[in-house]
Amino acid sequence: MRRSRRITTAVAAVALGASLTATGAQAAPGDQSLKADVTSGPFHLTVDAFRPAGTRSTEAVTGTFTAETSLAGAQLMDVGGPVTCLDVRGNRIGLFYPVDRSTPSLFAQLGAGIFIYLTVDGRGKATNVTFVPVPSRTTIGCSPQPALTPATGSAVAAS
């Protein structure tokens, strides 16, 4: 019962984070960027994203996101798409991408997007990550939310 309650609490926190994200299109004083090559459990993700100074989190963002899932050396799926929202606040990052390609192809056909929340240690290392799939290819913001799953790898964010 206690484990079930923790899982329910974690799911509720992630859902709340996704709903709060929709209101967070913040303007930034300087350029923002993220370069990451991160592993968390069976997931491996790479991000290269940039947002110019003085723009909102969903304006003028360029970059790509890819993720692969594998188990015991066998690739189960991969997804990717353009980064369309980037919000870097200190050591916490929020980003969003619409899934525009996937294997199996069904995932790209669903019209979905994925929020990624990442925490970095400031020395070029990722510490935690959270993935939140949503049934939308667009967002109005991606303010950083708690990253709940341990991660390793390189991640350099600048704002």
Side-chain angles (χ1 to χ4, degrees):
M1 182 74 159
R2 182 169 273 166
R3 178 175 163 80
S4 175
R5 188 174 295 154
R6 274 188 252 153
I7 291 171
T8 301
T9 302
V11 169
V14 169
L16 175 62
S19 68
L20 292 174
T21 296
T23 64
Q26 300 287 324
D31 290 346
Q32 293 193 351
S33 63
L34 173 64
K35 290 189 183 294
D37 187 346
V38 175
T39 300
S40 180
F43 302 101
H44 176 244
L45 63 97
T46 58
V47 182
D48 188 356
F50 176 79
R51 181 177 125 200
T55 60
R56 295 191 178 275
S57 60
T58 57
E59 297 174 342
V61 178
T62 59
T64 57
F65 178 93
T66 61
E68 299 173 350
T69 304
S70 59
L71 191 57
Q75 185 173 345
L76 302 177
M77 71 174 212
D78 71 77
V79 295
V83 176
T84 60
C85 186
L86 178 65
D87 195 343
V88 178
R89 299 184 191 187
N91 70 332
R92 294 176 39 189
I93 299 101
L95 68 93
F96 177 84
Y97 75 96
V99 177
D100 71 351
R101 66 163 189 77
S102 68
T103 304
S105 63
L106 172 65
F107 297 113
Q109 297 170 7
L110 293 175
I114 300 178
F115 287 99
I116 306 295
Y117 304 113
L118 185 65
T119 304
V120 298
D121 68 3
R123 295 181 304 251
K125 301 291 181 191
T127 59
N128 295 84
V129 66
T130 293
F131 305 88
V132 181
V134 294
S136 176
R137 293 182 51 81
T138 62
T139 185
I140 60 170
C142 57
S143 58
Q145 302 300 315
L148 304 172
T149 308
T152 60
S154 64
V156 177
S159 63

